[in-house]
Structure formats: structure tokens, C-alpha cells
Amino acid sequence: MNGRDLVRSVKMVGSVRGMRTVRSAWRRQRADARALSPRGPERARVPGLLAGAEPGPGGGVVRFARSELCIRVSAGGAVFWAWDGAEPLPSYALPGPAPEPDPRALLEPDKDGGWQVVSERLTVVVSRHGAVELRTPGGVVLRRELPPRWWEPVAGGASRWVQRSELPADARFFGLGGRGAGPRLRDGSYALWNTDPGGRFGPGDDPLYLTMPVQVVVSDAGTHLVFHDNTWAGRVTLSEGEEGAGSGHDRPGMCEVRMDGGPLRCWALAGTPARVLQGWTALTGAPALPPSWALGPQHARWGFGSEREVRRVVAGYRERGLPLSVLHLDIDHYDGHRVFTVDRERFPDLAGLAEELREEDGVRLVSIVDPAVKAEPGNAVFDAGSAVGGAGAFVRDARGRAVHGEVWPGECVYPDFTDPQVREWWGGLYEERLAQGFSGVWHDMNEPVSFTAFGEPTLPRSARHCLEGLGGDHREAHNVYGLAMARAGYEGLRRLRPDERPFLFSRSGWAGIQRYGGTWSGDVESSWPGLRASLALVLGLGLCGVPYSGPDVGGFDGSPSPELYLRWFQLGAFLPLFRTHSAMDAGRREPWEFGPEVLQHARAALEERERLRPYFVTLAQLARLTGAPYVRPLWWGAHGDRALRDCEDAFLLGDALLVAPVLQRGTDRRAVRLPRGRWYDTATGEVHEGPGQVLVDAPLSRVPVLARAGAVIPVRGADGGLELEVWAPAPGRTGGGLVVRDAGDGWEQAEVERYTSRLSGGQVVVERDGGDGEVTCPVRVRGV
């Protein structure tokens, strides 16, 4: 518990809600003490010596004295290995059947007395003692998994385990879900337990809302991704290596994964960053494609309070000529905070308001949806949930009684989204949201959260879950609770409106959450470190396969200065989810509330976002097709450049643009690390050559944005139609770009248009691949 949590707890204890939270915490601890036996004496176990092997499809089984190891290479290049009979399924990360094995991959004896499986992209070598090495086709070691160790309770129960790994001395770590301290993960320990940090967080807080055991490791040897498919609570400890100077020896990097239970099974992919993310997407599912309107500017505040305030905000944007696509309603629009209700006094005709805003202003409404259901007979959702199946829809304790917790509506129960029947019931409830005129939803408080006066805000670890019919407790279900809720909402929206793509994003989730929507930063603190953490979260989540995300612009809790708000606003304009949001007591966050200068520069950022809307539409489609995130680290196309691996204050937006946000107070000039090639400052036209570092102007009016020479970027022209912005290629070089036109918000198959650019006779020539090469939209050449 940190200091903020302690202060909040003390304040709560003196209130009625505080007394209820104390009681809730006491019940949780008592339930766990009663249902979860102490581990008691444990027996340690290691695999032992190699005893034999049995080849099979795509690999085989290697047997040791006390364990067995299954290795399987899939036809798509992903490598699976697991101990003690664990299989790829069941898995919440995989959307369907496990990939077919690659018949060309064979288990064969290794020269050192072990065994190996040689595949197109990876060679897996197993030693006589159970170490597993991942090697490139050229034989360079990417990762060495040391023999694992298990601790088995003598009296029975879940075995905890540890897996240690050695990495190249130059390796850098990324991933593990949403981390405020990223995107590069320094030496330290990172918890795997989805958690509400208590109202606000900064770079030093861990864990956060969305953790996942997905590591992306970049070294001179190449890029690889390792996923430990285990939903239990765990901890990952990382230590970067060090290269020896002169004749000194290298100190390898180290990684240690500890899990409190569950299977020891892993997936690995290797190659270029683009190939790794493409393979990861093929394994865990294509990202949900947001409707095109969800790529525009969005505005939210906890505390709009009434229809009148909503109209005031939308009118404020309209009267000042500021574009706005979406307005979000937080829990204050509910009747007594009860989910799937409306406060009729403050919103007498919500459906009519939604239709009016959509028709007259082009603004859509999005609704918050929390999982906690007020445990009150007469509450329609509670009564309906109690009648689902034989025992009701809600999570129960080991004695079969519904688990109660304290959340915004008061005493609540929690749907068990790991039950298919409950997901179907819950998905049907979104019909009420659609009837109220909402065009999408955002899931909040779904780690899940139960307020406690002292201690961890979660359900009892002994609470029982369906887990797709296999049964288990909250220790196994906690980390996938938000993922399963997102699935329920997404599938429900698809059933209710089959002709429209659902819009859903979730605060919590796990590996595979991208199949159902995106995520956002949660309650990041309003500070300069919070601004930096916002970028870290988006970059880290993108590398874990979640391309659509963004922060609370301005921070959630606290009052940003005009300069901080503007710099956050300018960053948000180049991120996939561009949404302002704040706490009830944090004040208004409309751009005009920070003075005329901020309004002027915020307008420029909004206009640039709208101009780039066709580019964001293209990036969204490409993310679905290839898994490539919209926002990428600078080393994306050059993982061998060590200086780029260490750069955390800039990013690539697609392949064409390099964005260098201002993350420090009082900055009007900043250094930018460039990848190889020619880059143009989009504001001044100044030319820079990479690789290397340059100093560029960063006045309060804008953040530096550089375009890659030769890039072909789809933008919105002055007439609102599609236009190609082409940046002149460097002499002797060519360029190009991809364009996917906006085909509406249905399910029409995307057509990818490919364009090339080249210099000919001192002029820039742009051609479309295929057909006669004719370009049918206006072209504007820059950088000549």
C-alpha cells in the first residue's frame, strides 16, 4: 500500500462506505483463510537427466528423469514448448484451435547429447539437463532457458515454479503489457497481477491495469518474443547484461519468471519486429478494427453531470471551430451508479440527445460500463443475473455464496465472465446502451476492483470461477477477467448490430485483448512524469499486440498547467486513441479553459489530426492485416541500431512519420535520434540525414514531426477528399507507401493500394502498383 492508498483508506473508514469496505476486506480475508490452505512443506523438483525422446508432428517429446518436455513448431513459425504434459489449449490467449504443426520440423539428436528441432526461423536445442536454447538459423543464441524448478506442496495443491533465462549482453527488454516505467524495461521486478493503483499512477507504480507475460527482446542477434501462457499471479525480474571491455567477458542479460501456479508453457517467435508482431497476431488473433469515427478527437470527463453540460461542451467545440468526433459519459450519468441505467432527472431524453448530437454535430456518445452489479433485489440487472443458469451469473465463494464487494453503486456482485452462458447474458444487456443512442462502450473497473479500506483492491483469491467449464479459483481467473468481459461485450454488440463494427476499449485485459478492442492508460497522474508514462504505455502495449490505445490527455487526477496540458494534447494528437479525460474534481479540460494561446495551439493539433485521418484509417487496417502497431519504437525497422533501442522519447507513426513529443517543462528545442535515411522537418522543410542525432525546434505551438524521404502519406485535402502527400526521395533512392481508403464502419474487405515514388529528371514521379500505374487522387509533393 502506498501513501495515497493509506490516506484514502483512513478517509473512507469514517464513512458509511468506509465501514462497508472494512467489512468487505474482512470477509475477503476470512474467505481466503478458510478456503486456501497454507502451502506447508514443499518438495523441490528439477527435470533431472535426459532419459529419451519421442519424435512427433512438428517436434516431439523429450523425457527426463522427473519431467517431460513437449516441443512443437507450428506451420506459421511459432515455437511452442511446455513441461509435464501441458498443451496449447485451453488458452485465453488463443482465439481458436492451436496452429497446425510444421511437418518439416523434426526432432533429432544434437551433437552434445541433447536433442534439437530445426525450423525455418528458429532452432530449438534441448540439453541433457533440460535447458532450452533458441537459436537463429545461423546458430546465434537468442535466448537460453535454464532448467526450470518446481515447488510442490507435500499435502497437494498448485505447484509454483521459476524459469530463469540468459540473454545476449546487449539485449534490451520491452513488453509485459502496460508499464509506466517503459517502454524499455530496466533492471527490476515487474508484477503480473492486473491492479487498480488507486486513483492515479506515475512511472514508478507497478503493477497497473493490464499486465501480460509477453516479453519482446531486441539484440544484435535479432528480435524475439516469448509468451508464458499462464494466467496466475507472477513476477518477472529483469537484469540487462554488460559487454566486456577489451579482453573481458560478457555478462549475459537475465530474466526470471516466477508463477504461483499453473502450467509452464511458452510460445516464441523470432525475426524482424514486423515479422514477430505478424506472427503474434496470427497466433492470438487480429486486432478489432475501430470504426473510422473512433480515430477522431474524443472528449470525456467524470462529472458532466447533466444533458445541459453535455450540450455546453459540444457547443463550445462547434463555436470555436474545433473538430470533435466522440463524447464519453462516465458513471455520473447512471442512476445511482447502477450499470445499464440512466438518471432521468439529469438526462430526461438521452436517446434523443444522442441522435441530435450525431445528426447536427457529427458527435457520437460512448458509455462507460463497469462489471460490478448492485446487489439489490429489484435492480433489473441483479435480478436477471441471479436467474442465469442454475446458480446465477455471479462469482461465488468456496461455500457457493455470491461474493460481495464495495464499488461505486455500493454493495455489489460480479458476473463470472469466464462462463460462456454468463457472457451471452451480459452481451445481451448492451441492447439497453444501444437503445439509449450510444455508439460504443468503454469498460472500467474490470481488474476487477472491490474497494477495501486496507489492502489489495480485488476479489478473494479463493472465489470460484467457471473457467470455460474446467473450474478454478480467482488466482487463475483474475488476470483474464477484463479480457473475458471484453469478449462478452464485443460479441454482444456484434449480435445486436451485425452490420456495424463494435467500438469497445477496456481498462484491463490480457494477451489477446486486441481481438475485442483497445485500451487506455487508466488514471495516470497529471504531471510531467505522467506524460512520459503515457507514451511508454502506448509503445509497450503496441509491442504486445494491442495497437489501439491512448492516455487520459492532461492526466486523470490533478490540475495540469497550461503548458503540460498543451504538450499532452499535442502528443495525444498522434496516438491511436486521442481522448481527453479527467477526474470529477480535476476541473474542466476543454482546450479553451487554458487560455487563448493554448486554444490556438490545440486547434492546430486538432486540425493536423483531422488532416491525417486517412493515414490513421490506413494504419488501423494495416494493424488488423499485419499486427503492426500504429505507434512503433524508433528501432522498428533497424533493431540492430543500439542507439535507437535506448531512445524512449520519440516514436514512429507508421513507417512515414517520426514524432518527437515534448516531455519536459520549458522545452523549446530538443534532440531527436534519427534512423538511417533522409528526414524532413514537416514544419520547416529542413533536411536531416540519419542515422544520428539532430537538434530541432520545438516551440510551444507544435511538437517536432519528421517525414521519411520518399514517403507517400494519405491525408485529407482542403476539399475534404483524399490526397497523397509525397515527400521527395533522396537522390538515387525510391520510396512509397500504402493507402487503405475509408470504406465505412461495416465489414467490407479492405483494399490495400501500393504507391511508389522516385526522382526522374529532377521531378518526383508517383505511381500506383498494378494496372497502368495511374494515380486517381490529387498529389502534393513536399521537400523538393
Side-chain angles (χ1 to χ4, degrees):
M1 177 184 293
N2 59 32
R4 291 194 304 269
D5 294 333
L6 180 60
V7 171
R8 185 177 68 170
S9 298
V10 170
K11 289 181 178 179
M12 291 179 68
V13 168
S15 66
V16 173
R17 170 170 287 169
M19 296 306 297
R20 290 201 301 257
T21 59
V22 171
R23 184 178 61 184
S24 175
W26 176 79
R27 285 192 308 222
R28 175 176 62 83
Q29 294 171 2
R30 185 180 180 187
D32 285 347
R34 182 169 48 239
L36 299 178
S37 302
R39 294 191 65 87
E42 295 178 314
R43 183 184 298 109
R45 172 169 63 88
V46 294
L49 288 175
L50 190 148
E54 180 182 334
V61 176
V62 182
R63 293 188 172 85
F64 297 85
R66 291 177 290 277
S67 298
E68 65 178 33
L69 173 67
C70 171
I71 303 173
R72 193 175 306 156
V73 179
S74 72
V79 175
F80 173 80
W81 73 92
W83 290 91
D84 294 340
E87 291 289 331
L89 297 176
S91 169
Y92 278 96
L94 274 59
E100 292 294 322
D102 184 349
R104 301 170 298 174
L106 303 174
L107 182 66
E108 56 190 24
D110 184 43
K111 61 182 179 180
D112 294 325
W115 291 81
Q116 67 174 8
V117 179
V118 180
S119 69
E120 181 180 356
R121 300 177 188 174
L122 276 174
T123 296
V124 185
V125 180
V126 183
S127 77
R128 292 177 299 159
H129 296 278
V132 178
E133 284 188 356
L134 302 180
R135 299 179 182 175
T136 68
V140 180
V141 177
L142 288 171
R143 187 183 193 98
R144 185 169 190 265
E145 303 277 309
L146 302 177
R149 182 181 294 268
W150 295 265
W151 286 270
E152 302 168 338
V154 173
S159 297
R160 58 188 181 94
W161 53 263
V162 61
Q163 173 73 74
R164 295 185 177 93
S165 311
E166 293 180 349
L167 289 303
D170 66 298
R172 296 292 181 262
F173 300 98
F174 301 86
L176 297 183
R179 303 286 167 172
R184 173 183 161 194
L185 302 177
R186 261 64 173 193
D187 296 359
S189 185
Y190 301 88
L192 298 172
W193 187 256
N194 293 347
T195 302
D196 173 10
R200 60 175 178 171
F201 70 87
D205 291 294
D206 183 88
L208 300 180
Y209 312 95
L210 201 164
T211 69
M212 59 177 84
V214 179
Q215 300 174 40
V216 176
V217 182
V218 186
S219 67
D220 288 350
T223 301
H224 72 273
L225 179 151
V226 167
F227 166 51
H228 290 82
D229 194 353
N230 184 314
T231 66
W232 284 62
R235 186 166 291 276
V236 179
T237 302
L238 303 175
S239 176
E240 293 182 350
E242 184 177 356
E243 293 180 297
S247 59
H249 295 289
D250 287 353
R251 178 174 60 81
M254 298 294 295
C255 169
E256 179 184 276
V257 179
R258 288 182 177 269
M259 289 289 184
D260 291 347
L264 203 177
R265 55 182 180 176
C266 301
W267 289 92
L269 301 109
T272 63
R275 175 169 282 186
V276 166
L277 264 294
Q278 186 173 26
W280 176 243
T281 298
L283 181 67
T284 60
L289 186 64
S292 57
W293 52 261
L295 297 171
Q298 306 183 36
H299 186 84
R301 188 173 81 238
W302 179 18
F304 275 129
S306 68
E307 177 180 318
R308 179 180 178 182
E309 179 68 3
V310 169
R311 292 182 185 277
R312 184 195 69 82
V313 171
V314 174
Y317 274 87
R318 180 181 63 246
E319 292 164 2
R320 293 169 177 84
L322 304 177
L324 179 66
S325 293
V326 184
L327 191 139
H328 298 247
L329 297 188
D330 211 315
I331 55 173
D332 48 292
H333 85 278
Y334 282 135
D335 181 8
H337 294 158
R338 291 175 299 177
V339 67
F340 300 119
T341 64
V342 175
D343 186 329
R344 296 296 179 182
E345 290 188 7
R346 292 183 293 166
F347 293 89
D349 183 13
L350 185 54
L353 172 66
E355 182 179 6
E356 176 188 326
L357 295 180
R358 186 166 58 248
E359 296 297 326
E360 296 184 8
D361 298 286
V363 175
R364 296 174 181 263
L365 292 185
V366 167
S367 171
I368 191 172
V369 174
D370 288 356
V373 176
K374 186 173 180 61
E376 180 180 64
N379 175 10
V381 178
F382 175 75
D383 292 343
S386 300
V388 172
F394 306 115
V395 176
R396 296 186 171 269
D397 62 19
R399 293 183 169 185
R401 300 175 301 184
V403 172
H404 287 228
E406 184 70 20
V407 199
W408 297 117
E411 193 165 359
C412 293
V413 289
Y414 301 81
D416 182 6
F417 297 114
T418 69
D419 185 335
Q421 191 174 9
V422 174
R423 288 199 297 269
E424 184 175 3
W425 162 72
W426 185 265
L429 297 177
Y430 289 76
E431 184 174 11
E432 182 272 343
R433 294 288 88 185
L434 297 178
Q436 296 297 342
F438 289 108
S439 299
V441 297
W442 52 296
H443 288 173
D444 201 358
M445 306 290 286
N446 58 338
E447 289 69 38
V449 171
S450 172
F451 298 151
T452 56
F454 300 97
E456 187 179 61
T458 185
L459 302 186
R461 299 195 181 214
S462 59
R464 303 298 300 173
H465 290 262
C466 172
L467 288 167
E468 315 307 317
L470 299 176
D473 61 37
H474 196 66
R475 293 174 297 177
E476 184 177 359
H478 175 86
N479 281 336
V480 294
Y481 190 87
L483 170 71
M485 181 186 179
R487 178 180 177 181
Y490 182 84
E491 292 178 347
L493 291 170
R494 284 207 62 173
R495 290 193 305 269
L496 293 166
R497 287 194 178 167
D499 296 331
E500 296 183 15
R501 298 197 302 268
F503 177 55
L504 182 152
F505 62 101
S506 172
R507 192 170 80 172
S508 184
W510 202 65
I513 184 67
Q514 77 277 356
R515 298 191 296 266
Y516 313 117
T519 185
W520 92 103
S521 66
D523 302 340
V524 62
E525 67 184 21
S526 294
S527 67
W528 290 94
L531 170 60
R532 183 176 288 271
S534 296
L535 176 57
L537 284 158
V538 175
L539 282 166
L541 287 164
L543 292 173
C544 292
V546 187
Y548 184 82
S549 68
D552 285 344
V553 167
F556 178 73
D557 183 53
S559 299
S561 67
E563 181 190 6
L564 174 58
Y565 175 82
L566 178 60
R567 291 309 195 185
W568 217 315
F569 201 89
Q570 291 167 335
L571 168 63
F574 293 98
L575 299 180
L577 172 59
F578 179 24
R579 183 182 84 143
T580 62
H581 187 221
S582 63
M584 182 180 293
D585 58 355
R588 294 172 174 171
R589 291 283 179 84
E590 293 80 47
W592 55 88
E593 299 290 347
F594 292 86
E597 185 179 19
V598 169
L599 173 60
Q600 176 187 353
H601 301 329
R603 176 182 288 108
L606 286 167
E607 291 173 349
E608 181 65 4
R609 172 65 175 228
E610 289 298 276
R611 194 181 75 88
L612 289 174
R613 181 83 76 92
Y615 188 45
F616 277 93
V617 169
T618 295
L619 293 178
Q621 292 280 3
L622 294 179
R624 180 165 181 80
L625 293 172
T626 70
Y630 312 31
V631 171
R632 308 163 188 179
L634 294 188
W635 47 261
W636 179 260
H639 65 265
D641 188 328
R642 296 188 176 187
L644 293 181
R645 290 181 216 156
D646 296 339
C647 182
E648 302 176 282
D649 61 354
F651 59 91
L652 297 174
L653 181 60
D655 285 330
L657 298 178
L658 189 160
V659 182
V662 173
L663 305 176
Q664 292 181 320
R665 180 189 294 109
T667 299
D668 60 5
R669 191 168 173 80
R670 60 153 294 174
V672 179
R673 176 68 61 176
L674 298 178
R676 183 176 299 277
R678 172 171 291 184
W679 296 85
Y680 296 95
D681 188 313
T682 59
T684 66
E686 187 176 358
V687 178
H688 303 283
E689 298 289 343
Q693 183 170 280
V694 297
L695 285 174
V696 297
D697 290 332
L700 195 61
S701 60
R702 61 178 175 85
V703 295
V705 179
L706 295 96
R708 191 188 300 270
V712 178
I713 307 172
V715 299
R716 182 176 290 174
D719 62 353
L722 180 67
E723 179 179 283
L724 299 183
E725 182 173 88
V726 182
W727 290 88
R733 306 297 296 270
T734 60
L738 303 176
V739 177
V740 182
R741 299 179 187 246
D742 188 354
D745 296 328
W747 300 96
E748 184 175 336
Q749 186 68 30
E751 179 185 357
V752 180
E753 303 173 10
R754 302 175 185 273
Y755 293 87
T756 58
S757 65
R758 57 186 173 87
L759 286 175
S760 178
Q763 292 186 327
V764 176
V765 178
V766 181
E767 297 174 317
R768 179 176 174 180
D769 288 356
D772 58 6
E774 182 183 2
V775 179
T776 59
C777 56
V779 175
R780 184 162 69 102
V781 177
R782 300 186 64 184
V784 176

